[in-house]
Amino acid sequence: MSNLKQVLYEKIMSWRPRTEKLLKEYGDVVVDKVTIAQIIGGMRDLKSLVTDISYLDPMEGIRYRGYTLPELFEKLPRPKGAEMPYIEGIIYLLFTGDIPGQREVTDVADEINKRRILPRYVYEVIDAFPTYSHPMAIFSTAILTMSRESFFSKKYHGGISKLDYWDPTYEDALNLLAKLPEIGAYIYRKLYKGGQRILSNPNLDMGGNFAHMMGIDKPYDDVTRMNLIIHADHESGNVSAHTGHLVGSTLSDVYLVISAMINGLAGPLHGLANQEVLRWLQDLNERMDGKIPTLEELRQFVWDTLNSGQVIPGYGHAVLRKTDPRYLIQREFCLKHFPDDPLFIYTDMLFKVVPEILMEQGKAKNPWPNLDAQSGIIQWHYGITEYDFYTVLFGIGRAIGICANIVWDRALGYPLERPKSLTTEMLEKIAMGEHTD
Ligand code: NMX
Ligand code: MLT
């Protein structure tokens, strides 16, 4: 058994009594109330999910297993000479809750290496797509086709105790996480580089190998490490994580789960916002005929977008009420590596004008930028100008957190998710103080 799986097993065994005790002794304790506005309004702030993988504080931002991102960037081990930590380290942390040392990271790297080879039919499925297909549709389908490889499904149909569900789920999760960079890089090379595949290099870490397969030089390996780490989880209420949990609660295999969450991520209000930001900036660039706009011209452009009924991509958040720390981490990287890049200059000018405009407009509860306002700029700088591809990168990172969640969901025996719905008439009666049971 790998070190990661052994530690995970021990953690699961010691965690189970906590969940059992809460259910048995405190099951009736009231946690939250629900209002009509929350029911109609997308369940904002409704405390109705549980996860220990990460927690999102509206003012502070995300903590993975209790650690802020800046803390993790400091504590996690890094490959020799690298600026950013190992992606393998974040896998270890999210699955077990412990900060790994070099030995643990090497163990995860070995696990990933053993499992990364794609079945031939996955390439054939990707090749069969028309080249004008959106990369997220190809990505989701490529993952879906591998459902036939599921170890969990085989075990389930063979008869397995509920208490052991986590084990084959873990095997599926690691198998898939190892393969996602290969799938992503192949989609990129197929769609935009004439199908010239670059074979993976087993001597490199995940970040280094992904940059190698994409055919992009240093420091793109560090960009990949940073990118996958900051996208890995955002507690479980966001659409991709919630989709993963919901679909996984039916005991669908990990391939079905991750394909489904990718479909949720592909919406412009969620992960696709990173490509929307670039599309919007290109519009701005065209309008300015390549010259840097003045702050006044920029303000006008933002107002024109709002007045035409569109949202400002990369701004606002359903939970956060300050600038997303993931935005700030990426901004720091840009300032260090390419402060004079014209797109970065646009982005930084927008950071100055958009929040005050959104506040003046008075609709958005959070006028500050989220991670998507900055992530595409970095990809563009390193040569990935095909912005349709950006959400695939988000998806590779997000799969880490969702896989960790699914394994723990099964380890702790979380059941099928099935909230109750009401009719409009029932809500009207409740509003009038009438009883509806
Ligand atoms: N630009 C213009 N209007 C906005 C924005 C924005 N960036 N953000 C919120 N609003 C509007 C929103 O459309 C709503 O309008 P209306 O009352 O007419 O329906 C109003 O402000 C209240 O919305 P909120 O409660 O502040 O935001 P909500 O929780 O509903 O939605 C987002 C959150 C993230 C969907 C929203 O802020 C948005 O559409 N942002 C732009 C898209 C984006 O950047 N998405 C990426 C989010 C991060 N991610 O990767 O998933
Ligand atoms: C995410 O990373 O999933 C986004 O910031 C959206 C969210 O948390 O609601």
Side-chain angles (χ1 to χ4, degrees), residues 186-337:
Y186 184 64
I187 292 174
Y188 179 73
R189 301 289 307 176
K190 159 86 190 153
L191 291 183
Y192 312 119
K193 299 289 164 193
Q196 286 167 343
R197 178 176 161 216
I198 302 175
L199 294 181
S200 69
N201 178 347
N203 299 318
L204 295 172
D205 68 297
M206 272 179 102
N209 192 31
F210 185 70
H212 161 76
M213 288 188 292
M214 293 286 286
I216 307 177
D217 290 340
K218 278 179 185 300
Y220 193 69
D221 52 347
D222 270 326
V223 168
T224 301
R225 294 182 192 106
M226 172 179 69
N227 197 38
L228 265 56
I229 290 172
I230 63 174
H231 284 90
D233 210 33
H234 220 225
E235 67 171 37
S236 60
N238 67 74
V239 170
S240 47
H242 189 196
T243 304
H245 171 74
L246 176 68
V247 175
S249 81
T250 70
L251 299 183
S252 288
D253 67 59
V254 162
Y255 302 92
L256 297 168
V257 167
I258 298 298
S259 173
M261 82 84 176
I262 291 293
N263 299 340
L265 194 65
L269 295 187
H270 193 14
L272 207 79
N274 58 14
Q275 80 164 52
E276 292 303 293
V277 169
L278 258 290
R279 197 176 50 74
W280 188 63
L281 286 179
Q282 291 310 310
D283 285 352
L284 171 63
N285 199 26
E286 256 173 49
R287 178 152 147 180
M288 295 312 302
D289 220 3
K291 84 171 172 49
I292 303 283
T294 62
L295 284 179
E296 211 29 66
E297 286 167 327
L298 205 55
R299 278 192 193 96
Q300 191 55 51
F301 181 67
V302 173
W303 273 116
D304 288 350
T305 304
L306 288 175
N307 291 336
S308 65
Q310 298 171 66
V311 294
I312 307 299
Y315 280 78
H317 200 274
V319 178
L320 284 168
R321 292 296 174 259
K322 65 162 240 186
T323 299
D324 191 337
R326 302 172 296 176
Y327 173 92
L328 293 173
I329 286 169
Q330 296 180 95
R331 181 170 182 271
E332 227 174 88
F333 187 90
C334 298
L335 279 170
K336 179 167 175 197
H337 290 274

Side-chain angles (χ1 to χ4, degrees), residues 123-130 190:
Y123 294 107
E124 289 167 0
V125 167
I126 296 172
D127 288 344
F129 268 85
K190 159 86 190 153

Side-chain angles (χ1 to χ4, degrees), residues 68-89:
T68 64
L69 287 175
E71 281 166 357
L72 285 176
F73 278 95
E74 209 180 298
K75 284 181 192 295
L76 288 172
R78 347 169 159 246
K80 214 165 168 230
E83 194 182 329
M84 298 291 164
Y86 281 105
I87 298 161
E88 289 85 340

Side-chain angles (χ1 to χ4, degrees), residues 369-417:
N370 59 59
L371 83 168
D372 293 323
Q374 196 73 251
S375 52
I377 312 303
I378 303 178
Q379 299 300 328
W380 184 284
H381 181 83
Y382 291 105
I384 306 185
T385 52
E386 302 87 357
Y387 46 74
D388 278 9
F389 185 71
Y390 296 168
T391 318
V392 171
L393 301 170
F394 192 154
I396 298 174
R398 183 52 52 92
I400 300 172
I402 296 181
C403 281
N405 268 292
I406 300 300
V407 171
W408 274 93
D409 286 353
R410 292 193 183 163
L412 298 178
Y414 295 163
L416 182 81
E417 188 179 310

Side-chain angles (χ1 to χ4, degrees), residues 158-179:
I160 178 176
S161 159
K162 275 183 171 189
L163 291 174
D164 296 331
Y165 284 171
W166 71 272
D167 182 326
T169 303
Y170 163 88
E171 296 297 335
D172 283 351
L174 266 273
N175 283 337
L176 180 59
L177 290 178
K179 291 177 173 58

